[in-house]
Amino acid sequence: MAKVSKDMLVGELVNTHPELIDTLLDVGMHCLGCPSSQMESLEDACLVHGLNPNEVLSALNTKLAELEA
């Protein structure tokens, strides 16, 4: 089972798992097309946007597990 980690770049995450885009938008991560997303880790992007990285990571991995089930 693939897992998302906090050190993944946002751009990498979107390219590798486009099925998680809606989840990212739902948690408040609206910068997916931003040039910074290509060089910013998920954790850093969460902190910049005032989001809890652990909560976002949990939501993403939960959704990924549901899709793979």
Side-chain angles (χ1 to χ4, degrees):
M1 173 167 114
K3 283 211 160 217
V4 175
S5 65
K6 289 190 272 189
D7 63 337
M8 287 182 81
L9 300 179
V10 175
E12 173 191 3
L13 175 60
V14 169
N15 289 328
T16 305
H17 297 290
E19 68 275 19
L20 295 178
I21 290 173
D22 286 342
T23 304
L24 287 165
L25 294 172
D26 288 345
V27 299
M29 185 79 59
H30 299 121
C31 64
L32 305 179
C34 172
S36 295
S37 72
Q38 301 304 308
M39 300 173 293
E40 195 167 49
S41 71
L42 178 62
E43 183 173 35
D44 289 342
C46 287
L47 296 173
V48 166
H49 293 286
L51 302 171
N52 181 315
N54 293 322
E55 290 175 6
V56 172
L57 187 62
S58 177
L60 291 170
N61 281 315
T62 297
K63 182 64 174 183
L64 197 56
E66 288 172 2
L67 292 171
E68 291 179 348

